[in-house]
């Protein structure tokens, strides 16, 4: 079993780290406080090819593997999870699904600009619309409807918790066409934000990832052309689950990055802070915290890379991605709390960053499948094995 990264993967990791330090770190605290979308940072990320990392170059992507994606997500998430979640959604939930399941015409019209991330010198990204006020973990309970009207669908309903909701130009929307068929009556539709009847709701005032763009999206008699349906009639739920399986790798890597970022800050602080006549990392209480953090973060990293390897090698990654997400997200929550504790009172103030990382960590246990949902996926696989 090889644990070395290729030269290309190492270059991607370094490029992501340099970007995070030079472009994301300046102003990260202020953007969090003001809930200011990191437009310039995400646009530059797109110009570097990070918004369509795994997309075939013929569609404007970078043509990289999932391992490279995980490495990049970790480095950027160490500094700014609000930037990395924009990157994760566009790569994992939007571009991947379009490339795998769309027609050539759909790919040319939507995938190509989304993979590049910039059109006419403006940011051009996508959003994934599954969650509703009454349909979170139970994604089969879709109340948004797409009624077939001959050559188009009439779309009505509300989606919430939509990352990139206000900034995205293209929405991938799951909607119920035939309620009698349950999950087999759901379709996935490509919707443009500027179409009549599409309204962006108020921005959510969140605990963490506050600079990311989270909105409700309302559809009122929106006409969606039939040619904007993804796959066959009734394919929408399967499409959503396939996309989410890959998306969990991105969020697992984000959680890993948050944990690793908090650990690095705590390690540095423990070397500089003195108590009882010596650096606090010379006290066993702190040493054991650092040892446990390093161990759990390394275990998270291995799980993320295993899921990425499975995906790159056409193996079933539904379970490995769930394992990576549940373990990494819970590690992120635990490690950030420990990082705050190591900082003592300074950990409770914004200028030391760890309190923000702690707030950012929590959402990784919730979005793109809660920890409870991940355990459902894993336990079913274990029982059926």
């Amino acid at each position: 079993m090889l644990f070395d990264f290729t030269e290309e993967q190492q270059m991607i990791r370094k490029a992501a780290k340099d970007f995070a330090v030079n472009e994301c770190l300046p102003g990260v605290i202020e953007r969090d406080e003001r809930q200011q979308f990191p437009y310039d940072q995400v646009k530059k990320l797109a110009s570097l090819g990070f918004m369509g990392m795994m997309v075939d170059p013929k569609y404007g992507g970078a043509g990289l593997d999932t391992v490279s994606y995980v490495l990049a997500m970790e480095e950027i998430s160490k500094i700014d999870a609000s930037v990395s979640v924009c990157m994760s959604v566009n790569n994992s939930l939007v571009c991947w699904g379009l490339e795998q399941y769309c027609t050539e015409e759909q790919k040319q019209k939507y995938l190509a600009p989304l993979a590049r991330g910039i059109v006419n010198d403006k940011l051009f990204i996508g959003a994934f619309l599954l969650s509703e006020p009454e349909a979170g973990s139970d994604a089969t309970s879709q109340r948004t409807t797409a009624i077939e009207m001959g050559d188009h669908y009439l779309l009505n309903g509300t989606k919430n918790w939509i990352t990139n909701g206000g900034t995205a130009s293209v929405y991938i929307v799951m909607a119920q066409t035939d309620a009698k068929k349950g999950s087999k009556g759901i379709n996935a539709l490509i919707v443009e934000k500027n179409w009549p009847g599409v309204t962006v709701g108020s921005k959510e005032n969140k605990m963490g990832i506050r600079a990311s763009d989270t909105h409700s999206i309302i559809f009122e008699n929106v006409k969606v052309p039939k040619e904007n349906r993804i796959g066959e009639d009734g394919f929408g739920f399967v499409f959503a689950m396939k996309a989410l399986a890959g998306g969990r790798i991105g969020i697992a890597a984000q959680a890993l990055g948050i944990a690793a970022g908090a650990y690095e800050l705590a390690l540095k602080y423990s070397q500089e802070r003195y108590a009882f006549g010596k650096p606090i990392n010379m006290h066993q209480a702190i040493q054991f915290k650092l040892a446990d953090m390093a161990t759990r973060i390394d275990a998270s990293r291995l799980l993320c890379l295993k899921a990425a390897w499975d995906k790159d090698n056409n193996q079933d990654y539904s379970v490995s991605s769930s394992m990576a997400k549940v373990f990494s997200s819970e590690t992120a929550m635990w490690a950030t709390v420990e990082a705050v504790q190591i900082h003592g009172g300074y950990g409770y103030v914004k200028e030391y960053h760890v309190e923000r990382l702690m707030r950012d960590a929590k959402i990784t246990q919730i979005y793109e499948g809660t920890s409870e949902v991940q355990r459902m996926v894993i336990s079913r696989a274990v029982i059926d094995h």
Side-chain angles (χ1 to χ4, degrees), residues 238-264:
V238 173
F239 170 84
M241 295 303 102
K242 294 282 189 182
L244 285 170
R248 285 164 187 160
I249 298 175
I251 299 305
Q254 181 189 48
L256 165 64
I258 292 170
Y263 164 74
E264 290 175 6

Side-chain angles (χ1 to χ4, degrees), residues 42 157 196 217 221 232 257 343 352:
V42 177
I217 309 295
N221 294 323
E232 298 297 319
H343 278 75
Y352 283 78

Side-chain angles (χ1 to χ4, degrees), residues 54 124 156 214 216 256 304 321 330:
M54 297 168 286
F124 191 95
N156 283 280
T214 308
S216 293
L256 165 64
C304 289
S321 66
E330 294 185 357

Side-chain angles (χ1 to χ4, degrees), residues 113-132:
L114 287 165
R116 289 191 296 270
I118 298 174
V119 172
N120 297 326
D121 199 38
K122 293 183 179 179
L123 189 63
F124 191 95
I125 58 176
F128 185 82
L129 282 64
L130 176 63
S131 294
E132 299 183 1

Side-chain angles (χ1 to χ4, degrees), residues 76-88:
I76 293 168
S77 301
K78 286 179 182 180
I79 304 294
D80 193 344
S82 291
V83 170
S84 69
V85 73
C86 300
M87 172 181 161
S88 179

Side-chain angles (χ1 to χ4, degrees), residues 10-30:
Q10 291 171 349
M11 288 174 60
I12 293 298
R13 186 179 210 171
K14 184 180 185 304
K17 182 175 182 177
D18 290 345
F19 175 85
V21 172
N22 297 324
E23 302 293 337
C24 295
L25 184 56
V28 64
I29 293 174
E30 291 75 20

Side-chain angles (χ1 to χ4, degrees), residues 20 24-25 28-29 31-33 73-84 207-211 253-269 293 297 328-341 343 346-365 367:
C24 295
L25 184 56
V28 64
I29 293 174
R31 291 193 300 273
D32 174 79
E33 289 181 334
M73 279 291 299
E74 178 186 353
E75 292 300 331
I76 293 168
S77 301
K78 286 179 182 180
I79 304 294
D80 193 344
S82 291
V83 170
S84 69
M207 176 173 72
I209 58 166
R210 287 170 56 81
Q254 181 189 48
L256 165 64
I258 292 170
Y263 164 74
E264 290 175 6
L265 288 169
L267 178 62
K268 183 174 184 293
Y269 180 82
M293 290 167 78
I297 289 167
S328 297
S329 63
E330 294 185 357
T331 295
M333 194 69 247
W334 169 82
T336 53
V337 170
E338 290 291 76
V340 170
Q341 190 71 16
H343 278 75
Y346 292 104
Y348 207 65
V349 297
K350 293 184 182 298
E351 68 182 281
Y352 283 78
H353 294 282
V354 287
E355 66 85 29
R356 172 174 50 83
L357 292 171
M358 185 178 76
R359 289 186 285 106
D360 289 349
K362 184 58 195 173
I363 192 59
T364 66
Q365 295 178 297
Y367 62 8

